[in-house]
Amino acid sequence: MDDLTVKALLEDLKNSDEGVRDRATTELWRIWFEEKGDYGIEMLRRSQILLEAGDFSRALNMLTKLISEYPDFAEAWNRRAVLYYTQGNYQKSLIDCEMVIKLNPIHFGALHGLGLCYAALGNYRNAIHAFRRTLEIQPYSLVNQKLILECTARLN
């Protein structure tokens, strides 16, 4: 990952022009998905097809194998976190989201996922914290702004 390119893209996420932000978001996702080359992309693609087909077991096995081969591949961890989340296994999803953030602290997708998991578990304070961290990277993210309001309303 070229640090100057990523830094410029992060700045673009803060641009008032929605088109600039959308292009930066797309480019960051591309960089993250392509981090391990064609093999990594293909494994992520196949696991997504399995996930969409409801074959969670095979998708999980494929992602776990990819993680064992490339433990520093943040997007593999993130895709497995998504799989766990879709199954309602929020605790395992949290663990994988935290690993993504450890490997790639600017991964707004994992930060958002972390917030979703905390919210699903009823831990609204931690959810709000995660969504705020996401907003530090993507300040115009309406979905994260809305989720902060929803979680704040649920606090006792």
Side-chain angles (χ1 to χ4, degrees), residues 32-81:
W32 296 338
F33 270 81
E34 293 180 357
E35 182 182 350
K36 297 299 178 189
D38 291 341
Y39 176 74
I41 294 167
E42 183 61 20
M43 293 290 282
L44 292 175
R45 186 188 69 74
R46 287 182 185 177
S47 70
Q48 185 62 32
I49 290 168
L50 291 168
L51 176 65
E52 290 170 4
D55 193 344
F56 300 120
S57 178
R58 285 182 55 207
L60 177 61
N61 289 341
M62 186 172 290
L63 290 168
T64 299
K65 178 181 185 289
L66 185 58
I67 288 167
S68 71
E69 293 170 344
Y70 298 100
D72 62 339
F73 190 11
E75 197 52 41
W77 288 94
N78 188 55
R79 299 318 305 164
R80 193 171 75 174

Short mmCIF file of all heavy atoms in Angstrom, two decimals, residues 32-81:
data_model
loop_
_atom_site.label_atom_id
_atom_site.label_comp_id
_atom_site.label_asym_id
_atom_site.label_seq_id
_atom_site.Cartn_x
_atom_site.Cartn_y
_atom_site.Cartn_z
N TRP A 32 -7.61 -2.50 -0.47
CA TRP A 32 -7.70 -3.49 0.60
C TRP A 32 -7.97 -4.89 0.05
O TRP A 32 -7.39 -5.87 0.51
CB TRP A 32 -8.78 -3.10 1.60
CG TRP A 32 -8.48 -1.82 2.33
CD1 TRP A 32 -7.24 -1.25 2.50
CD2 TRP A 32 -9.40 -0.96 2.97
NE1 TRP A 32 -7.36 -0.07 3.21
CE2 TRP A 32 -8.68 0.13 3.51
CE3 TRP A 32 -10.78 -0.98 3.13
CZ2 TRP A 32 -9.28 1.16 4.21
CZ3 TRP A 32 -11.39 0.06 3.83
CH2 TRP A 32 -10.63 1.11 4.37
N PHE A 33 -8.85 -4.99 -0.94
CA PHE A 33 -9.17 -6.29 -1.53
C PHE A 33 -7.98 -6.86 -2.30
O PHE A 33 -7.79 -8.07 -2.34
CB PHE A 33 -10.39 -6.19 -2.45
CG PHE A 33 -11.69 -6.45 -1.74
CD1 PHE A 33 -12.30 -5.45 -1.00
CD2 PHE A 33 -12.29 -7.68 -1.80
CE1 PHE A 33 -13.49 -5.67 -0.34
CE2 PHE A 33 -13.49 -7.93 -1.14
CZ PHE A 33 -14.09 -6.92 -0.40
N GLU A 34 -7.19 -6.00 -2.92
CA GLU A 34 -6.09 -6.45 -3.78
C GLU A 34 -4.77 -6.62 -3.04
O GLU A 34 -3.76 -6.95 -3.66
CB GLU A 34 -5.91 -5.48 -4.95
CG GLU A 34 -7.09 -5.48 -5.89
CD GLU A 34 -6.94 -4.52 -7.05
OE1 GLU A 34 -5.93 -3.78 -7.12
OE2 GLU A 34 -7.85 -4.50 -7.90
N GLU A 35 -4.79 -6.44 -1.75
CA GLU A 35 -3.55 -6.47 -0.95
C GLU A 35 -2.72 -7.74 -1.15
O GLU A 35 -1.50 -7.70 -1.11
CB GLU A 35 -3.90 -6.30 0.54
CG GLU A 35 -2.71 -6.27 1.44
CD GLU A 35 -3.09 -6.16 2.90
OE1 GLU A 35 -4.27 -5.92 3.23
OE2 GLU A 35 -2.18 -6.32 3.73
N LYS A 36 -3.37 -8.87 -1.37
CA LYS A 36 -2.64 -10.15 -1.52
C LYS A 36 -2.71 -10.68 -2.95
O LYS A 36 -2.54 -11.87 -3.19
CB LYS A 36 -3.18 -11.19 -0.53
CG LYS A 36 -2.97 -10.81 0.93
CD LYS A 36 -1.50 -10.65 1.26
CE LYS A 36 -1.31 -10.22 2.71
NZ LYS A 36 0.06 -9.84 3.01
N GLY A 37 -2.94 -9.80 -3.89
CA GLY A 37 -2.88 -10.17 -5.30
C GLY A 37 -4.07 -10.99 -5.78
O GLY A 37 -5.12 -11.06 -5.12
N ASP A 38 -3.88 -11.62 -6.93
CA ASP A 38 -4.96 -12.36 -7.59
C ASP A 38 -5.52 -13.48 -6.73
O ASP A 38 -6.74 -13.70 -6.70
CB ASP A 38 -4.48 -12.94 -8.93
CG ASP A 38 -4.22 -11.86 -9.97
OD1 ASP A 38 -4.73 -10.73 -9.81
OD2 ASP A 38 -3.49 -12.15 -10.93
N TYR A 39 -4.65 -14.20 -6.03
CA TYR A 39 -5.11 -15.31 -5.20
C TYR A 39 -6.06 -14.79 -4.10
O TYR A 39 -7.14 -15.35 -3.89
CB TYR A 39 -3.93 -16.06 -4.58
CG TYR A 39 -4.34 -17.15 -3.62
CD1 TYR A 39 -4.87 -18.34 -4.09
CD2 TYR A 39 -4.20 -16.98 -2.24
CE1 TYR A 39 -5.26 -19.34 -3.21
CE2 TYR A 39 -4.58 -17.97 -1.36
CZ TYR A 39 -5.11 -19.15 -1.85
OH TYR A 39 -5.50 -20.13 -0.97
N GLY A 40 -5.65 -13.75 -3.42
CA GLY A 40 -6.48 -13.18 -2.36
C GLY A 40 -7.81 -12.68 -2.89
O GLY A 40 -8.86 -12.93 -2.29
N ILE A 41 -7.77 -12.00 -4.03
CA ILE A 41 -9.01 -11.49 -4.63
C ILE A 41 -9.94 -12.64 -4.98
O ILE A 41 -11.15 -12.59 -4.70
CB ILE A 41 -8.70 -10.67 -5.91
CG1 ILE A 41 -7.92 -9.40 -5.56
CG2 ILE A 41 -9.97 -10.32 -6.67
CD1 ILE A 41 -7.31 -8.71 -6.78
N GLU A 42 -9.39 -13.67 -5.58
CA GLU A 42 -10.20 -14.82 -6.00
C GLU A 42 -10.83 -15.53 -4.80
O GLU A 42 -12.00 -15.92 -4.83
CB GLU A 42 -9.37 -15.79 -6.83
CG GLU A 42 -10.14 -16.97 -7.36
CD GLU A 42 -11.29 -16.62 -8.29
OE1 GLU A 42 -11.31 -15.50 -8.85
OE2 GLU A 42 -12.18 -17.47 -8.46
N MET A 43 -10.06 -15.70 -3.74
CA MET A 43 -10.59 -16.35 -2.54
C MET A 43 -11.70 -15.51 -1.90
O MET A 43 -12.72 -16.05 -1.46
CB MET A 43 -9.47 -16.62 -1.54
CG MET A 43 -8.45 -17.65 -2.01
SD MET A 43 -9.13 -19.32 -2.07
CE MET A 43 -9.07 -19.74 -0.33
N LEU A 44 -11.51 -14.20 -1.87
CA LEU A 44 -12.55 -13.32 -1.33
C LEU A 44 -13.81 -13.39 -2.20
O LEU A 44 -14.94 -13.44 -1.68
CB LEU A 44 -12.05 -11.88 -1.23
CG LEU A 44 -10.96 -11.61 -0.21
CD1 LEU A 44 -10.48 -10.17 -0.31
CD2 LEU A 44 -11.41 -11.93 1.21
N ARG A 45 -13.62 -13.40 -3.51
CA ARG A 45 -14.74 -13.46 -4.44
C ARG A 45 -15.52 -14.77 -4.25
O ARG A 45 -16.74 -14.76 -4.14
CB ARG A 45 -14.25 -13.33 -5.88
CG ARG A 45 -15.37 -13.24 -6.92
CD ARG A 45 -14.84 -13.31 -8.34
NE ARG A 45 -14.32 -14.63 -8.69
CZ ARG A 45 -15.08 -15.71 -8.93
NH1 ARG A 45 -16.38 -15.64 -8.86
NH2 ARG A 45 -14.53 -16.87 -9.25
N ARG A 46 -14.80 -15.87 -4.19
CA ARG A 46 -15.46 -17.17 -4.02
C ARG A 46 -16.20 -17.26 -2.69
O ARG A 46 -17.31 -17.79 -2.62
CB ARG A 46 -14.43 -18.30 -4.10
CG ARG A 46 -13.92 -18.56 -5.49
CD ARG A 46 -12.95 -19.72 -5.48
NE ARG A 46 -12.34 -19.91 -6.78
CZ ARG A 46 -11.42 -20.82 -7.03
NH1 ARG A 46 -10.99 -21.62 -6.06
NH2 ARG A 46 -10.91 -20.95 -8.23
N SER A 47 -15.58 -16.75 -1.63
CA SER A 47 -16.24 -16.80 -0.32
C SER A 47 -17.51 -15.95 -0.34
O SER A 47 -18.51 -16.33 0.29
CB SER A 47 -15.29 -16.36 0.79
OG SER A 47 -15.02 -14.98 0.71
N GLN A 48 -17.49 -14.83 -1.05
CA GLN A 48 -18.67 -13.97 -1.14
C GLN A 48 -19.80 -14.69 -1.89
O GLN A 48 -20.96 -14.62 -1.49
CB GLN A 48 -18.33 -12.65 -1.82
CG GLN A 48 -19.48 -11.65 -1.83
CD GLN A 48 -19.92 -11.23 -0.45
OE1 GLN A 48 -19.12 -11.15 0.49
NE2 GLN A 48 -21.21 -10.97 -0.28
N ILE A 49 -19.46 -15.39 -2.95
CA ILE A 49 -20.47 -16.16 -3.70
C ILE A 49 -21.10 -17.22 -2.80
O ILE A 49 -22.33 -17.39 -2.78
CB ILE A 49 -19.83 -16.79 -4.96
CG1 ILE A 49 -19.49 -15.70 -5.98
CG2 ILE A 49 -20.76 -17.84 -5.57
CD1 ILE A 49 -18.61 -16.17 -7.12
N LEU A 50 -20.26 -17.90 -2.02
CA LEU A 50 -20.77 -18.92 -1.09
C LEU A 50 -21.65 -18.29 -0.02
O LEU A 50 -22.71 -18.83 0.32
CB LEU A 50 -19.61 -19.68 -0.45
CG LEU A 50 -18.82 -20.60 -1.38
CD1 LEU A 50 -17.52 -21.06 -0.70
CD2 LEU A 50 -19.67 -21.80 -1.81
N LEU A 51 -21.23 -17.14 0.50
CA LEU A 51 -22.01 -16.44 1.52
C LEU A 51 -23.37 -16.06 0.97
O LEU A 51 -24.41 -16.30 1.60
CB LEU A 51 -21.24 -15.19 1.99
CG LEU A 51 -21.95 -14.29 2.99
CD1 LEU A 51 -22.18 -15.02 4.31
CD2 LEU A 51 -21.13 -13.04 3.23
N GLU A 52 -23.38 -15.48 -0.23
CA GLU A 52 -24.64 -15.07 -0.85
C GLU A 52 -25.55 -16.25 -1.16
O GLU A 52 -26.77 -16.12 -1.15
CB GLU A 52 -24.37 -14.25 -2.11
CG GLU A 52 -23.78 -12.88 -1.81
CD GLU A 52 -23.28 -12.14 -3.03
OE1 GLU A 52 -23.44 -12.64 -4.17
OE2 GLU A 52 -22.73 -11.04 -2.85
N ALA A 53 -24.96 -17.42 -1.40
CA ALA A 53 -25.73 -18.64 -1.67
C ALA A 53 -26.20 -19.31 -0.38
O ALA A 53 -26.91 -20.31 -0.43
CB ALA A 53 -24.89 -19.61 -2.50
N GLY A 54 -25.78 -18.77 0.76
CA GLY A 54 -26.18 -19.35 2.04
C GLY A 54 -25.32 -20.52 2.48
O GLY A 54 -25.66 -21.20 3.44
N ASP A 55 -24.22 -20.75 1.79
CA ASP A 55 -23.31 -21.85 2.15
C ASP A 55 -22.27 -21.31 3.13
O ASP A 55 -21.09 -21.15 2.80
CB ASP A 55 -22.65 -22.43 0.90
CG ASP A 55 -21.96 -23.75 1.16
OD1 ASP A 55 -21.72 -24.09 2.34
OD2 ASP A 55 -21.66 -24.45 0.17
N PHE A 56 -22.74 -21.02 4.34
CA PHE A 56 -21.90 -20.36 5.34
C PHE A 56 -20.71 -21.21 5.75
O PHE A 56 -19.62 -20.70 5.98
CB PHE A 56 -22.73 -19.98 6.57
CG PHE A 56 -23.85 -19.03 6.26
CD1 PHE A 56 -25.17 -19.39 6.52
CD2 PHE A 56 -23.59 -17.79 5.73
CE1 PHE A 56 -26.21 -18.51 6.24
CE2 PHE A 56 -24.62 -16.90 5.45
CZ PHE A 56 -25.93 -17.26 5.69
N SER A 57 -20.92 -22.51 5.86
CA SER A 57 -19.85 -23.39 6.30
C SER A 57 -18.66 -23.37 5.34
O SER A 57 -17.51 -23.23 5.76
CB SER A 57 -20.39 -24.81 6.45
OG SER A 57 -19.37 -25.68 6.84
N ARG A 58 -18.94 -23.51 4.06
CA ARG A 58 -17.84 -23.49 3.07
C ARG A 58 -17.21 -22.10 2.97
O ARG A 58 -15.99 -22.00 2.83
CB ARG A 58 -18.34 -23.96 1.70
CG ARG A 58 -18.55 -25.47 1.68
CD ARG A 58 -19.01 -26.01 0.35
NE ARG A 58 -18.13 -25.66 -0.75
CZ ARG A 58 -18.53 -25.55 -2.02
NH1 ARG A 58 -19.79 -25.76 -2.34
NH2 ARG A 58 -17.68 -25.24 -2.97
N ALA A 59 -18.02 -21.07 3.07
CA ALA A 59 -17.47 -19.71 3.04
C ALA A 59 -16.55 -19.49 4.24
O ALA A 59 -15.45 -18.95 4.11
CB ALA A 59 -18.59 -18.67 3.03
N LEU A 60 -17.00 -19.95 5.40
CA LEU A 60 -16.19 -19.82 6.62
C LEU A 60 -14.89 -20.59 6.49
O LEU A 60 -13.81 -20.07 6.82
CB LEU A 60 -16.99 -20.32 7.83
CG LEU A 60 -16.24 -20.32 9.16
CD1 LEU A 60 -15.81 -18.92 9.55
CD2 LEU A 60 -17.12 -20.94 10.24
N ASN A 61 -14.95 -21.81 5.99
CA ASN A 61 -13.74 -22.61 5.81
C ASN A 61 -12.77 -21.92 4.85
O ASN A 61 -11.55 -21.91 5.09
CB ASN A 61 -14.08 -24.01 5.30
CG ASN A 61 -14.74 -24.86 6.36
OD1 ASN A 61 -14.65 -24.58 7.55
ND2 ASN A 61 -15.45 -25.90 5.93
N MET A 62 -13.29 -21.36 3.78
CA MET A 62 -12.44 -20.70 2.79
C MET A 62 -11.75 -19.47 3.41
O MET A 62 -10.55 -19.26 3.22
CB MET A 62 -13.27 -20.29 1.57
CG MET A 62 -12.46 -19.73 0.44
SD MET A 62 -13.45 -19.48 -1.04
CE MET A 62 -13.74 -21.19 -1.50
N LEU A 63 -12.51 -18.67 4.14
CA LEU A 63 -11.93 -17.47 4.75
C LEU A 63 -10.94 -17.83 5.85
O LEU A 63 -9.89 -17.19 5.98
CB LEU A 63 -13.04 -16.56 5.28
CG LEU A 63 -13.87 -15.88 4.20
CD1 LEU A 63 -15.11 -15.24 4.80
CD2 LEU A 63 -13.03 -14.86 3.44
N THR A 64 -11.24 -18.84 6.63
CA THR A 64 -10.34 -19.27 7.70
C THR A 64 -9.03 -19.79 7.10
O THR A 64 -7.94 -19.51 7.62
CB THR A 64 -11.03 -20.32 8.58
OG1 THR A 64 -12.19 -19.72 9.16
CG2 THR A 64 -10.10 -20.80 9.69
N LYS A 65 -9.12 -20.51 6.00
CA LYS A 65 -7.92 -20.99 5.30
C LYS A 65 -7.10 -19.80 4.79
O LYS A 65 -5.88 -19.76 4.95
CB LYS A 65 -8.32 -21.89 4.13
CG LYS A 65 -7.16 -22.41 3.30
CD LYS A 65 -7.68 -23.29 2.15
CE LYS A 65 -6.59 -23.94 1.34
NZ LYS A 65 -5.83 -23.04 0.51
N LEU A 66 -7.77 -18.81 4.20
CA LEU A 66 -7.09 -17.63 3.69
C LEU A 66 -6.39 -16.88 4.83
O LEU A 66 -5.24 -16.44 4.69
CB LEU A 66 -8.09 -16.73 2.97
CG LEU A 66 -7.54 -15.50 2.27
CD1 LEU A 66 -6.48 -15.85 1.22
CD2 LEU A 66 -8.69 -14.71 1.62
N ILE A 67 -7.06 -16.76 5.96
CA ILE A 67 -6.47 -16.10 7.13
C ILE A 67 -5.26 -16.88 7.64
O ILE A 67 -4.25 -16.28 8.02
CB ILE A 67 -7.54 -15.91 8.23
CG1 ILE A 67 -8.53 -14.82 7.81
CG2 ILE A 67 -6.89 -15.59 9.58
CD1 ILE A 67 -9.79 -14.78 8.66
N SER A 68 -5.35 -18.20 7.63
CA SER A 68 -4.20 -19.00 8.10
C SER A 68 -3.02 -18.85 7.15
O SER A 68 -1.87 -18.86 7.59
CB SER A 68 -4.58 -20.46 8.29
OG SER A 68 -4.78 -21.10 7.05
N GLU A 69 -3.28 -18.70 5.87
CA GLU A 69 -2.21 -18.51 4.89
C GLU A 69 -1.64 -17.10 4.92
O GLU A 69 -0.45 -16.90 4.70
CB GLU A 69 -2.73 -18.81 3.48
CG GLU A 69 -3.09 -20.26 3.26
CD GLU A 69 -3.83 -20.50 1.95
OE1 GLU A 69 -4.34 -19.55 1.33
OE2 GLU A 69 -3.88 -21.67 1.53
N TYR A 70 -2.50 -16.12 5.16
CA TYR A 70 -2.11 -14.70 5.18
C TYR A 70 -2.70 -14.04 6.42
O TYR A 70 -3.69 -13.30 6.34
CB TYR A 70 -2.61 -13.98 3.93
CG TYR A 70 -2.04 -14.49 2.64
CD1 TYR A 70 -2.77 -15.36 1.83
CD2 TYR A 70 -0.76 -14.11 2.23
CE1 TYR A 70 -2.24 -15.83 0.64
CE2 TYR A 70 -0.23 -14.59 1.04
CZ TYR A 70 -0.98 -15.45 0.25
OH TYR A 70 -0.45 -15.91 -0.93
N PRO A 71 -2.12 -14.28 7.59
CA PRO A 71 -2.70 -13.72 8.82
C PRO A 71 -2.68 -12.19 8.88
O PRO A 71 -3.39 -11.61 9.70
CB PRO A 71 -1.84 -14.34 9.93
CG PRO A 71 -0.61 -14.83 9.27
CD PRO A 71 -0.94 -15.11 7.84
N ASP A 72 -1.93 -11.56 7.99
CA ASP A 72 -1.89 -10.09 7.96
C ASP A 72 -2.83 -9.50 6.89
O ASP A 72 -2.80 -8.30 6.63
CB ASP A 72 -0.47 -9.60 7.72
CG ASP A 72 0.09 -10.04 6.37
OD1 ASP A 72 -0.42 -11.03 5.80
OD2 ASP A 72 1.05 -9.39 5.90
N PHE A 73 -3.69 -10.32 6.30
CA PHE A 73 -4.62 -9.88 5.27
C PHE A 73 -5.89 -9.37 5.93
O PHE A 73 -6.82 -10.12 6.21
CB PHE A 73 -4.91 -11.04 4.32
CG PHE A 73 -5.67 -10.68 3.07
CD1 PHE A 73 -5.90 -9.37 2.67
CD2 PHE A 73 -6.17 -11.70 2.26
CE1 PHE A 73 -6.61 -9.08 1.51
CE2 PHE A 73 -6.87 -11.42 1.09
CZ PHE A 73 -7.09 -10.10 0.72
N ALA A 74 -5.92 -8.07 6.19
CA ALA A 74 -7.02 -7.46 6.93
C ALA A 74 -8.37 -7.73 6.29
O ALA A 74 -9.36 -7.98 6.99
CB ALA A 74 -6.79 -5.96 7.08
N GLU A 75 -8.43 -7.70 4.97
CA GLU A 75 -9.74 -7.87 4.32
C GLU A 75 -10.28 -9.29 4.48
O GLU A 75 -11.49 -9.48 4.53
CB GLU A 75 -9.68 -7.47 2.85
CG GLU A 75 -11.04 -7.24 2.24
CD GLU A 75 -11.91 -6.27 3.03
OE1 GLU A 75 -11.41 -5.24 3.52
OE2 GLU A 75 -13.12 -6.55 3.16
N ALA A 76 -9.42 -10.28 4.58
CA ALA A 76 -9.89 -11.64 4.85
C ALA A 76 -10.56 -11.70 6.23
O ALA A 76 -11.63 -12.29 6.39
CB ALA A 76 -8.74 -12.64 4.75
N TRP A 77 -9.93 -11.07 7.20
CA TRP A 77 -10.52 -11.00 8.55
C TRP A 77 -11.85 -10.25 8.49
O TRP A 77 -12.82 -10.64 9.14
CB TRP A 77 -9.58 -10.28 9.52
CG TRP A 77 -8.37 -11.05 9.91
CD1 TRP A 77 -7.14 -10.98 9.32
CD2 TRP A 77 -8.24 -11.99 10.97
NE1 TRP A 77 -6.25 -11.82 9.96
CE2 TRP A 77 -6.90 -12.45 10.98
CE3 TRP A 77 -9.12 -12.48 11.93
CZ2 TRP A 77 -6.44 -13.38 11.90
CZ3 TRP A 77 -8.66 -13.41 12.85
CH2 TRP A 77 -7.34 -13.85 12.83
N ASN A 78 -11.88 -9.16 7.72
CA ASN A 78 -13.10 -8.36 7.62
C ASN A 78 -14.24 -9.16 6.98
O ASN A 78 -15.38 -9.12 7.45
CB ASN A 78 -12.84 -7.08 6.83
CG ASN A 78 -14.01 -6.14 6.88
OD1 ASN A 78 -14.47 -5.77 7.95
ND2 ASN A 78 -14.51 -5.77 5.71
N ARG A 79 -13.94 -9.90 5.93
CA ARG A 79 -14.98 -10.68 5.26
C ARG A 79 -15.50 -11.77 6.20
O ARG A 79 -16.70 -12.09 6.20
CB ARG A 79 -14.47 -11.31 3.96
CG ARG A 79 -14.01 -10.33 2.90
CD ARG A 79 -14.87 -9.10 2.70
NE ARG A 79 -16.26 -9.43 2.42
CZ ARG A 79 -17.27 -8.55 2.52
NH1 ARG A 79 -17.05 -7.31 2.86
NH2 ARG A 79 -18.49 -8.93 2.26
N ARG A 80 -14.61 -12.35 7.01
CA ARG A 80 -15.07 -13.36 7.96
C ARG A 80 -15.93 -12.70 9.05
O ARG A 80 -16.92 -13.27 9.50
CB ARG A 80 -13.90 -14.13 8.57
CG ARG A 80 -14.38 -15.37 9.33
CD ARG A 80 -13.26 -16.26 9.76
NE ARG A 80 -12.56 -15.70 10.90
CZ ARG A 80 -11.59 -16.32 11.57
NH1 ARG A 80 -11.20 -17.52 11.17
NH2 ARG A 80 -10.99 -15.75 12.58
N ALA A 81 -15.56 -11.49 9.45
CA ALA A 81 -16.38 -10.75 10.42
C ALA A 81 -17.78 -10.52 9.87
O ALA A 81 -18.77 -10.67 10.59
CB ALA A 81 -15.71 -9.42 10.78
#
